[in-house]
Amino acid sequence: MKGEEVRHRKKEGRSDNGVRPRQHAPEKGKNKHNDDRIGSREQDVPVVSYKKPLEEKVAMAKPEEESSFQIGLQVLFPYFLAGLGMVLAGMVLDFVQHWEVFKTITEIFILVPALVGLKGNLEMTLASRMSTAANIGQMDEKHQQWKMVTCNLALIQVQATVVGLLAAVAAVILGSLSKGYLDFSQAAVLCASSVTTAFIAALSLGMVMIGVIIGSRKMGINPDNVATPIAASLGDLITLSLLAGISTFLFKYKDIYYISPLVCGVLVLLIPLWVSIAARSSQIKEVLKSGWQPVIVAMTISSVGGLILDKTVTDPNFEGMAVFTPVINGVGGNLVAIQASRISTFLHYWSMPGVLPYKMRQAWPSPCNTFFTSGVNSKSARVLFLLVIPGHLLFLYTINLLQGGHTAITHTFVAFYLTAALFQVGILLYMADLIVRFTWRRGLDPDNFSIPYLTALGDLLGTGFLALCFRIVWLINGAETKLGD
């Protein structure tokens, strides 16, 4: 009898003394005023996993808890590692520009920013998308993790193949307009080299990114701070090395007319397979439908930067520019990708697509709001901007050391180079704030739409400012002083 009474009390929610506990009282529909108040605060509720609160899974700081020191400490090592990778990429470009294939098919220089920019269009977007998913608890279960990994890898294979082909077509068109004629055998080599490079680079870098994000999540490190720099550190070097090696091989056998079209055709025919795998995720399926515009527009912008590189790298007045191009472009794209990824995570954490949270209520902030407020995104913008000068000084010293006197880096050049880099990064960080807010207000995911535009803009600004820097230094020092060999 007593056991039956206890069960009856538990069913009604009463304690042993017959009093119903207050915390179990029903709140829904208590009064209209309370419902309205709860509804008005709904947009401030963080998005977490339904199975378990995010705070119980990993002891990671919330976005507003990170100090400038914490942000700088987490970003510093990956940033310098990425910069050294870009220095090596610049050395590779400076070395291979004298190879026969680069001298004969000069359109390859137009491909360089577009293919190197794929790390911003694809790998950094992948890193940002998966970092956000990890931070909001969407990769804590094994089956969720496996599905996210396979679908994302399949997605970037589709995007890499299509964008690689389009970049080659754009390079062929721009090159034929510049030369006044079209060589079909060279065009076939260019297309096959571009598609193969994009395919292999996307697969290898994508797997590295996934490992970094899962590992950093388990270690309690914010993936937003480390994933994109590591993508940048490996992306330029791997892509340029693959492009040089593959194009040299295909150029060597260009007389066997069917090799280049066959390689290109096989990779294109694999697209339906990758689409079927990627479409298993509803989120990735939506990216397959609507995520092409930023990637293609970014590729077009990067191709314009490649045209500038093609025109300057063969000019004696701009000798030595090839070694600095991946560095200034990579550092700008690296820093702005970190900022865009952090802002995107902040928005996913505190709001819903289409509505800006209270702390970011201004749709079109001024530069002062971007750099000089107390918010966590403003703190990160300041930290990233302050990393420009020490980073570039280290990278310039490394280039000078590795070149062994091959490149004369004068004080005048360093001053104008650092000025160009500061302008580039300052513009990019402000544009990141504007573009991420704009895409979020339109209900779009900034992880998929903002980074391609920003990294492509970084390539264009970096190449343009660097060419202007070389031109000004040449005018100041005179034609007898060269910055190259």
Side-chain angles (χ1 to χ4, degrees), residues 200-267:
I200 298 175
L203 180 61
S204 57
L205 287 171
M207 294 177 68
V208 171
M209 283 303 91
I210 289 168
V212 168
I213 291 167
I214 294 175
S216 60
R217 174 69 172 164
K218 290 182 178 180
M219 294 173 63
I221 299 174
N222 189 348
D224 287 323
N225 293 333
V226 298
T228 50
I230 292 176
S233 66
L234 299 173
D236 292 359
L237 183 60
I238 290 176
T239 303
L240 285 173
S241 301
L242 285 171
L243 179 61
I246 293 170
S247 60
T248 300
F249 174 80
L250 293 174
F251 181 73
K252 182 179 179 181
Y253 295 99
K254 68 175 181 177
D255 294 334
I256 306 177
Y257 67 93
Y258 59 84
I259 290 184
S260 293
L262 179 63
V263 171
C264 191
V266 169
L267 294 178

Coordinates of all heavy atoms in Angstrom, one line a residue, residues 200-267:
I200 N 43.2 16.6 -56.9 CA 44.1 16.0 -55.9 C 44.3 16.9 -54.7 O 44.3 16.5 -53.5 CB 45.4 15.7 -56.6 CG1 45.2 14.7 -57.7 CG2 46.4 15.1 -55.5 CD1 46.5 14.4 -58.5
A201 N 44.5 18.2 -55.0 CA 44.7 19.2 -53.9 C 43.5 19.3 -52.9 O 43.6 19.3 -51.7 CB 45.0 20.6 -54.4
A202 N 42.3 19.3 -53.5 CA 41.1 19.4 -52.7 C 40.9 18.1 -51.8 O 40.5 18.2 -50.7 CB 39.8 19.5 -53.6
L203 N 41.2 16.9 -52.4 CA 41.0 15.7 -51.6 C 42.0 15.6 -50.5 O 41.6 15.3 -49.3 CB 41.2 14.5 -52.6 CG 41.1 13.1 -51.9 CD1 39.7 12.9 -51.3 CD2 41.4 12.0 -52.9
S204 N 43.3 15.9 -50.8 CA 44.3 15.8 -49.7 C 44.1 16.8 -48.6 O 44.2 16.5 -47.4 CB 45.7 15.9 -50.4 OG 45.8 17.1 -51.1
L205 N 43.9 18.1 -49.0 CA 43.7 19.2 -48.0 C 42.4 19.0 -47.3 O 42.4 19.3 -46.1 CB 43.7 20.5 -48.7 CG 45.1 21.0 -49.2 CD1 44.9 22.3 -50.1 CD2 46.0 21.3 -48.1
G206 N 41.4 18.5 -47.9 CA 40.1 18.3 -47.2 C 40.3 17.2 -46.1 O 39.7 17.4 -45.0
M207 N 41.0 16.2 -46.4 CA 41.2 15.2 -45.3 C 42.1 15.7 -44.2 O 41.8 15.4 -43.0 CB 41.9 13.9 -46.0 CG 41.0 13.2 -47.0 SD 41.9 11.8 -47.8 CE 42.0 10.7 -46.4
V208 N 43.1 16.5 -44.5 CA 43.9 17.2 -43.5 C 43.0 18.1 -42.6 O 43.1 18.1 -41.4 CB 45.0 17.9 -44.1 CG1 45.8 18.8 -43.0 CG2 46.0 17.0 -44.7
M209 N 42.1 18.9 -43.2 CA 41.3 19.8 -42.5 C 40.4 19.1 -41.5 O 40.1 19.5 -40.4 CB 40.4 20.6 -43.5 CG 41.2 21.8 -44.2 SD 41.9 22.9 -43.0 CE 43.5 22.2 -42.8
I210 N 39.8 18.0 -42.0 CA 38.9 17.2 -41.1 C 39.6 16.7 -39.9 O 39.1 16.8 -38.8 CB 38.2 16.1 -41.9 CG1 37.2 16.7 -43.0 CG2 37.5 15.1 -41.0 CD1 36.8 15.7 -44.0
G211 N 40.8 16.2 -40.1 CA 41.6 15.7 -39.0 C 41.9 16.8 -38.0 O 41.9 16.6 -36.8
V212 N 42.3 18.0 -38.5 CA 42.7 19.1 -37.7 C 41.5 19.5 -36.8 O 41.6 19.8 -35.6 CB 43.2 20.3 -38.5 CG1 43.3 21.5 -37.7 CG2 44.6 19.9 -39.1
I213 N 40.3 19.6 -37.4 CA 39.1 20.1 -36.7 C 38.7 19.1 -35.7 O 38.4 19.5 -34.5 CB 38.0 20.3 -37.8 CG1 38.3 21.5 -38.6 CG2 36.6 20.6 -37.0 CD1 37.4 21.7 -39.8
I214 N 38.6 17.8 -36.0 CA 38.2 16.8 -35.0 C 39.3 16.8 -33.8 O 38.9 16.7 -32.7 CB 38.1 15.5 -35.6 CG1 36.9 15.5 -36.6 CG2 37.9 14.4 -34.6 CD1 36.8 14.2 -37.4
G215 N 40.6 16.9 -34.2 CA 41.6 16.9 -33.2 C 41.6 18.1 -32.3 O 41.7 18.0 -31.0
S216 N 41.4 19.3 -32.8 CA 41.4 20.5 -32.0 C 40.1 20.5 -31.2 O 40.2 21.0 -30.0 CB 41.4 21.7 -32.9 OG 40.3 21.7 -33.8
R217 N 39.0 20.0 -31.7 CA 37.8 19.9 -30.8 C 38.0 19.0 -29.6 O 37.6 19.4 -28.5 CB 36.7 19.4 -31.7 CG 35.4 19.1 -31.0 CD 34.7 20.4 -30.6 NE 33.4 20.1 -30.0 CZ 32.7 21.0 -29.3 NH1 33.2 22.1 -29.1 NH2 31.5 20.7 -28.9
K218 N 38.7 17.9 -29.8 CA 38.9 17.0 -28.7 C 39.9 17.6 -27.7 O 39.9 17.3 -26.5 CB 39.5 15.7 -29.2 CG 38.4 14.8 -29.9 CD 39.0 13.5 -30.4 CE 37.9 12.7 -31.0 NZ 38.5 11.4 -31.5
M219 N 40.8 18.5 -28.1 CA 41.8 19.1 -27.3 C 41.3 20.4 -26.6 O 42.0 21.0 -25.8 CB 43.1 19.5 -28.1 CG 43.8 18.3 -28.6 SD 45.2 18.7 -29.7 CE 46.2 19.7 -28.6
G220 N 40.0 20.8 -26.9 CA 39.4 22.0 -26.3 C 39.9 23.3 -26.9 O 39.8 24.3 -26.3
I221 N 40.5 23.2 -28.2 CA 40.9 24.4 -28.9 C 39.8 24.8 -29.9 O 39.2 23.9 -30.5 CB 42.2 24.1 -29.6 CG1 43.3 23.8 -28.6 CG2 42.6 25.3 -30.5 CD1 44.6 23.4 -29.3
N222 N 39.6 26.1 -30.0 CA 38.6 26.6 -31.0 C 39.0 26.3 -32.4 O 40.0 26.9 -32.8 CB 38.3 28.1 -30.8 CG 37.2 28.6 -31.6 OD1 36.6 27.9 -32.5 ND2 36.7 29.8 -31.3
P223 N 38.3 25.4 -33.2 CA 38.8 25.1 -34.5 C 38.8 26.3 -35.4 O 39.6 26.3 -36.4 CB 37.7 24.1 -35.0 CG 37.1 23.6 -33.8 CD 37.1 24.7 -32.8
D224 N 38.0 27.4 -35.1 CA 38.0 28.6 -36.0 C 39.4 29.2 -36.0 O 39.8 29.9 -37.0 CB 37.0 29.6 -35.5 CG 35.6 29.2 -35.8 OD1 35.4 28.6 -36.8 OD2 34.7 29.4 -34.9
N225 N 40.2 29.1 -34.9 CA 41.5 29.8 -34.8 C 42.6 29.0 -35.5 O 43.6 29.6 -35.7 CB 41.8 30.0 -33.3 CG 40.9 31.0 -32.6 OD1 40.3 31.8 -33.3 ND2 40.7 30.8 -31.3
V226 N 42.5 27.7 -35.7 CA 43.6 26.9 -36.2 C 43.4 26.3 -37.5 O 44.3 26.0 -38.2 CB 44.0 25.9 -35.1 CG1 44.4 26.5 -33.8 CG2 42.8 24.9 -34.9
A227 N 42.1 26.0 -37.9 CA 41.8 25.2 -39.1 C 42.2 25.9 -40.3 O 42.9 25.4 -41.2 CB 40.4 24.8 -39.1
T228 N 41.7 27.2 -40.5 CA 42.0 27.9 -41.7 C 43.5 28.3 -41.9 O 44.0 28.2 -43.0 CB 41.2 29.2 -41.8 OG1 41.3 29.9 -40.5 CG2 39.7 28.9 -42.0
P229 N 44.2 28.6 -40.8 CA 45.7 28.8 -41.0 C 46.4 27.6 -41.5 O 47.3 27.7 -42.4 CB 46.2 29.3 -39.7 CG 45.0 29.8 -39.0 CD 43.9 29.0 -39.4
I230 N 46.0 26.4 -41.0 CA 46.7 25.2 -41.4 C 46.3 24.9 -42.9 O 47.2 24.4 -43.7 CB 46.4 24.1 -40.5 CG1 47.0 24.3 -39.1 CG2 46.9 22.7 -41.0 CD1 46.7 23.3 -38.1
A231 N 45.1 25.2 -43.3 CA 44.7 25.0 -44.7 C 45.5 25.9 -45.6 O 46.0 25.5 -46.6 CB 43.2 25.3 -44.8
A232 N 45.8 27.1 -45.1 CA 46.6 28.0 -45.9 C 48.1 27.6 -45.9 O 48.7 27.8 -47.0 CB 46.5 29.4 -45.2
S233 N 48.6 27.1 -44.8 CA 50.0 26.7 -44.8 C 50.3 25.6 -45.8 O 51.4 25.6 -46.4 CB 50.4 26.3 -43.4 OG 49.7 25.1 -43.0
L234 N 49.4 24.7 -46.0 CA 49.6 23.5 -46.9 C 49.1 23.8 -48.3 O 49.6 23.3 -49.2 CB 49.0 22.3 -46.3 CG 49.5 21.8 -44.9 CD1 48.6 20.6 -44.4 CD2 50.9 21.4 -45.0
G235 N 48.0 24.6 -48.3 CA 47.3 24.8 -49.6 C 48.1 25.3 -50.7 O 48.2 24.7 -51.8
D236 N 48.8 26.4 -50.5 CA 49.6 27.0 -51.5 C 50.8 26.1 -52.0 O 51.0 26.0 -53.2 CB 50.2 28.4 -51.0 CG 49.2 29.4 -50.8 OD1 48.0 29.1 -51.1 OD2 49.5 30.5 -50.3
L237 N 51.5 25.6 -51.1 CA 52.6 24.7 -51.4 C 52.2 23.5 -52.2 O 52.8 23.1 -53.2 CB 53.3 24.3 -50.1 CG 54.6 23.5 -50.3 CD1 55.7 24.3 -51.1 CD2 55.2 23.1 -48.9
I238 N 51.2 22.8 -51.7 CA 50.7 21.6 -52.4 C 50.2 21.9 -53.7 O 50.5 21.2 -54.7 CB 49.6 20.9 -51.5 CG1 50.3 20.3 -50.3 CG2 48.9 19.8 -52.3 CD1 49.3 19.6 -49.3
T239 N 49.4 23.0 -53.9 CA 48.7 23.3 -55.1 C 49.8 23.7 -56.2 O 49.7 23.2 -57.3 CB 47.7 24.4 -55.0 OG1 46.8 24.1 -54.0 CG2 47.0 24.8 -56.3
L240 N 50.7 24.5 -55.8 CA 51.8 25.0 -56.8 C 52.7 23.8 -57.2 O 53.0 23.7 -58.4 CB 52.6 26.1 -56.2 CG 51.9 27.5 -56.1 CD1 52.7 28.5 -55.4 CD2 51.6 28.0 -57.5
S241 N 53.0 23.0 -56.2 CA 53.9 21.8 -56.5 C 53.1 20.8 -57.5 O 53.7 20.4 -58.5 CB 54.3 21.1 -55.3 OG 55.0 21.9 -54.4
L242 N 51.9 20.6 -57.2 CA 51.1 19.7 -58.1 C 50.9 20.3 -59.5 O 51.1 19.6 -60.5 CB 49.7 19.5 -57.5 CG 49.6 18.5 -56.3 CD1 48.2 18.5 -55.7 CD2 49.9 17.1 -56.8
L243 N 50.6 21.6 -59.5 CA 50.4 22.3 -60.8 C 51.7 22.2 -61.7 O 51.7 21.9 -62.9 CB 50.0 23.7 -60.6 CG 49.8 24.6 -61.9 CD1 48.7 24.0 -62.8 CD2 49.5 26.0 -61.5
A244 N 52.9 22.5 -61.0 CA 54.1 22.4 -61.8 C 54.4 21.0 -62.3 O 54.8 20.8 -63.4 CB 55.3 22.9 -60.9
G245 N 54.3 20.0 -61.4 CA 54.6 18.7 -61.8 C 53.7 18.1 -62.8 O 54.1 17.5 -63.8
I246 N 52.3 18.3 -62.6 CA 51.4 17.7 -63.6 C 51.4 18.4 -64.9 O 51.4 17.7 -66.0 CB 49.9 17.8 -63.0 CG1 49.8 16.9 -61.7 CG2 48.9 17.5 -64.0 CD1 48.5 17.2 -60.9
S247 N 51.6 19.7 -64.9 CA 51.7 20.4 -66.2 C 52.9 20.0 -67.0 O 52.9 19.9 -68.2 CB 51.6 21.9 -66.0 OG 52.7 22.4 -65.2
T248 N 54.0 19.9 -66.2 CA 55.3 19.4 -66.9 C 55.1 18.1 -67.5 O 55.6 17.8 -68.7 CB 56.4 19.4 -65.9 OG1 56.6 20.8 -65.4 CG2 57.7 19.0 -66.5
F249 N 54.5 17.1 -66.8 CA 54.3 15.8 -67.3 C 53.4 15.8 -68.6 O 53.7 15.2 -69.6 CB 53.7 14.9 -66.2 CG 53.3 13.5 -66.7 CD1 54.2 12.5 -66.8 CD2 52.0 13.3 -67.1 CE1 53.9 11.3 -67.3 CE2 51.6 12.0 -67.5 CZ 52.5 11.0 -67.6
L250 N 52.3 16.5 -68.5 CA 51.4 16.5 -69.6 C 52.0 17.3 -70.8 O 51.7 16.9 -72.0 CB 50.0 17.2 -69.2 CG 49.2 16.4 -68.2 CD1 48.0 17.2 -67.8 CD2 48.8 15.0 -68.8
F251 N 52.8 18.3 -70.5 CA 53.4 19.1 -71.6 C 54.4 18.2 -72.3 O 54.6 18.3 -73.5 CB 54.1 20.3 -71.0 CG 54.8 21.2 -72.1 CD1 54.0 22.0 -73.0 CD2 56.1 21.2 -72.1 CE1 54.6 22.8 -73.9 CE2 56.8 22.0 -73.1 CZ 56.0 22.8 -74.0
K252 N 55.1 17.3 -71.6 CA 56.1 16.5 -72.1 C 55.5 15.5 -73.2 O 56.1 15.1 -74.2 CB 56.8 15.7 -71.0 CG 57.9 14.7 -71.5 CD 58.6 14.0 -70.3 CE 59.7 13.1 -70.7 NZ 60.3 12.4 -69.6
Y253 N 54.2 15.1 -72.9 CA 53.6 14.1 -73.8 C 52.4 14.8 -74.5 O 51.4 14.1 -74.9 CB 53.0 12.9 -72.9 CG 54.1 12.1 -72.3 CD1 54.4 12.3 -71.0 CD2 54.8 11.2 -73.0 CE1 55.4 11.5 -70.4 CE2 55.8 10.4 -72.4 CZ 56.1 10.6 -71.1 OH 57.1 9.9 -70.5
K254 N 52.5 16.1 -74.8 CA 51.5 16.8 -75.5 C 51.3 16.3 -76.9 O 50.2 16.4 -77.5 CB 51.7 18.3 -75.5 CG 52.9 18.7 -76.4 CD 53.0 20.2 -76.4 CE 54.2 20.6 -77.3 NZ 54.3 22.1 -77.5
D255 N 52.3 15.6 -77.5 CA 52.2 15.1 -78.9 C 51.3 13.9 -78.9 O 50.7 13.6 -80.0 CB 53.6 14.7 -79.4 CG 54.5 15.9 -79.6 OD1 53.9 17.0 -79.8 OD2 55.7 15.8 -79.6
I256 N 51.1 13.2 -77.8 CA 50.1 12.1 -77.7 C 48.8 12.8 -77.4 O 48.4 13.1 -76.3 CB 50.5 11.1 -76.7 CG1 51.9 10.6 -76.9 CG2 49.5 9.9 -76.6 CD1 52.4 9.6 -75.8
Y257 N 48.0 13.1 -78.5 CA 46.9 14.1 -78.4 C 45.8 13.7 -77.5 O 45.1 14.5 -77.0 CB 46.4 14.3 -79.8 CG 45.6 13.1 -80.4 CD1 44.3 12.9 -80.2 CD2 46.4 12.1 -81.1 CE1 43.6 11.8 -80.7 CE2 45.7 11.0 -81.6 CZ 44.4 10.8 -81.4 OH 43.7 9.7 -81.9
Y258 N 45.6 12.4 -77.2 CA 44.5 12.0 -76.4 C 44.7 11.9 -74.9 O 43.8 11.8 -74.1 CB 44.0 10.6 -76.8 CG 45.0 9.5 -76.7 CD1 45.2 8.8 -75.5 CD2 45.9 9.1 -77.8 CE1 46.2 7.8 -75.3 CE2 46.8 8.1 -77.6 CZ 47.0 7.5 -76.4 OH 47.9 6.5 -76.3
I259 N 46.0 12.1 -74.4 CA 46.2 11.9 -73.0 C 45.5 13.0 -72.1 O 44.8 12.7 -71.2 CB 47.8 11.9 -72.7 CG1 48.4 10.6 -73.2 CG2 48.0 12.1 -71.2 CD1 49.9 10.5 -72.9
S260 N 45.8 14.3 -72.5 CA 45.2 15.4 -71.7 C 43.6 15.4 -71.8 O 43.0 15.5 -70.7 CB 45.7 16.7 -72.3 OG 47.1 16.9 -72.0
P261 N 43.0 15.2 -72.9 CA 41.5 15.1 -72.9 C 41.0 13.9 -72.1 O 39.9 14.0 -71.5 CB 41.2 15.0 -74.4 CG 42.3 15.6 -75.1 CD 43.5 15.3 -74.3
L262 N 41.7 12.8 -72.2 CA 41.3 11.6 -71.5 C 41.3 11.8 -69.9 O 40.4 11.5 -69.2 CB 42.2 10.4 -71.8 CG 41.9 9.1 -71.1 CD1 40.5 8.6 -71.5 CD2 42.9 8.0 -71.5
V263 N 42.4 12.4 -69.5 CA 42.5 12.7 -68.0 C 41.4 13.6 -67.6 O 40.7 13.4 -66.5 CB 43.9 13.3 -67.7 CG1 44.0 13.8 -66.3 CG2 45.0 12.3 -67.9
C264 N 41.2 14.7 -68.3 CA 40.2 15.7 -68.0 C 38.8 15.0 -68.0 O 37.9 15.2 -67.1 CB 40.3 16.8 -69.0 SG 39.3 18.3 -68.5
G265 N 38.5 14.2 -69.1 CA 37.2 13.6 -69.2 C 36.9 12.6 -68.1 O 35.8 12.6 -67.6
V266 N 37.9 11.8 -67.6 CA 37.6 10.8 -66.6 C 37.2 11.6 -65.3 O 36.3 11.2 -64.6 CB 38.9 10.0 -66.3 CG1 38.8 9.2 -65.0 CG2 39.1 9.0 -67.5
L267 N 37.9 12.6 -64.9 CA 37.6 13.4 -63.7 C 36.3 14.0 -63.8 O 35.6 14.1 -62.8 CB 38.7 14.4 -63.4 CG 40.1 13.8 -63.1 CD1 41.1 14.9 -62.9 CD2 40.1 12.9 -61.9

